[in-house]
Amino acid sequence: MDPQQLRTFVAVVDHRSFSAAAQALGYTQSAVSQHVASLETDLEAPLLTRRPVAPTEAGERLLEHARPLLLRLDAARADVARLRQVRPGRLAVACTPGTLTPATALALVRARSAAPQLAVSVRVCGRTEAVQSVLTGGADLALVDGAVAATDPLPLPDAGPLTAFPISEEPLAVLLPAAHPLVGRPTLRLADLAVARWIDAADAAVPLAELRAAAQSDGFGHQLTYTGTDVRGLSVLVAAGAGLTTAALSAAGDLPGVVAVPISEPRIVHRTELLHPRTPTTPAAELAATLRSAQSPR
């Protein structure tokens, strides 16, 4: 299979349109159609219906392989480029919500002061996007967080050949509306909240699938989905009674209208880890060393 044909196929599926995919890829529509047709000939199976544009059963199966294959191809290209220090004059950091602490911000400012020519950028995004940004060269390192048992590694999407190490760990808390009947409790058992109404906010809080796994429960249903990385906006929904969510205990102190109650059972923690390539650029390696030296258990 030709990687470019795979990339075109994925673009058509994502845009649900041959013309929109052509515009996004900078191709003519006939070239896009030819790529898809060649792929279908190669695999001896129809991959897309045309009206409406949608993947067939074979197309759905191919998608399961195509996305990770293309990601790893992009990651390979970026990994080789790093060996040549293609972009030593930039320091691009991808962060999941809540991971940009004062200590990290200070380290970034010091890096910029030590090298005035350094182009420093910070982007807040979801966990998958942060990891993929480092893999494919869009970012030089990433700060990602999640909830895990104290002795377990942070569950990450396909991180390939990235190096990860923890930089902070603290209690995980449930965010409740200020008038919630459980606000007076010193701690809460996660399993007792399985039947509560939750907000599905995979990029701004712990994904509900991870809470189900931790509590060994099929509960944690939601009636509202929150798309985005604005933790303060998410807390506004909690305060209004839209549902519960989670946050690091220290990050919840300045959120208006909500109360953070630590989870006591099971013993899970909120951990932040730093990810970087095996061969980081010089600025990324220096920042990683600074953050590692500043690491202190909570």
Side-chain angles (χ1 to χ4, degrees):
M1 284 180 286
D2 184 286
Q4 193 54 56
Q5 292 175 357
L6 275 179
R7 201 176 298 278
T8 300
F9 165 70
V10 172
V12 173
V13 173
D14 288 344
H15 291 278
R16 299 284 172 170
S17 164
F18 280 75
S19 59
Q23 185 175 7
L25 295 171
Y27 296 156
T28 63
Q29 185 171 339
S30 61
V32 168
S33 297
Q34 184 177 1
H35 280 187
V36 173
S38 297
L39 194 58
E40 290 178 323
T41 299
D42 183 17
L43 295 176
E44 300 181 349
L47 302 174
L48 293 167
T49 59
R50 268 49 177 186
R51 294 186 179 180
V53 175
T56 62
E57 182 180 2
E60 291 282 7
R61 189 65 58 86
L62 179 60
L63 274 177
E64 295 176 7
H65 299 280
R67 295 189 193 279
L69 281 171
L70 292 173
L71 174 61
R72 293 311 297 269
L73 286 173
D74 291 340
R77 183 182 297 277
D79 218 17
V80 172
R82 289 188 193 99
L83 291 175
R84 296 183 281 116
Q85 296 280 293
V86 170
R87 292 178 173 174
R90 101 175 173 175
L91 178 59
V93 182
C95 301
T96 55
T99 61
L100 190 58
T101 64
T104 304
L106 181 59
L108 286 167
V109 170
R110 287 176 174 171
R112 180 68 175 78
S113 299
Q117 78 286 357
L118 193 65
V120 179
S121 64
V122 179
R123 185 173 79 258
V124 178
C125 54
R127 187 190 304 176
T128 298
E129 184 179 349
V131 173
Q132 291 184 357
S133 292
V134 180
L135 276 174
T136 59
D140 300 304
L141 49 80
L143 291 164
V144 295
D145 62 345
V148 292
T151 56
D152 289 347
L154 195 65
L156 295 172
D158 181 15
L162 299 184
T163 299
F165 59 87
I167 60 172
S168 70
E169 193 172 284
E170 62 178 298
L172 181 69
V174 177
L175 297 189
L176 306 170
H180 197 281
L182 296 178
V183 161
R185 301 276 187 92
T187 61
L188 290 169
R189 296 174 66 250
L190 189 59
D192 293 340
L193 300 170
V195 296
R197 183 172 63 245
W198 288 77
I199 298 174
D200 184 15
D203 286 337
V206 177
L208 296 185
E210 293 182 16
L211 295 184
R212 294 186 189 103
Q216 298 182 350
S217 168
D218 293 330
F220 301 94
H222 68 280
Q223 295 182 351
L224 188 150
T225 299
Y226 181 83
T227 303
T229 58
D230 181 7
V231 177
R232 185 169 292 271
L234 177 59
S235 72
V236 170
L237 291 171
V238 174
L244 309 184
T245 191
T246 56
L249 184 60
S250 66
D254 63 344
L255 297 176
V258 300
V259 175
V261 181
I263 297 170
S264 60
E265 186 181 332
R267 187 171 180 268
I268 52 178
V269 296
H270 179 272
R271 182 183 301 149
T272 296
E273 294 187 359
L274 190 148
L275 280 72
H276 63 73
R278 287 179 298 183
T279 309
T281 61
T282 300
E286 291 174 349
L287 178 62
T290 299
L291 293 174
R292 293 191 74 159
S293 65
Q295 176 185 349
S296 59
R298 299 186 181 183

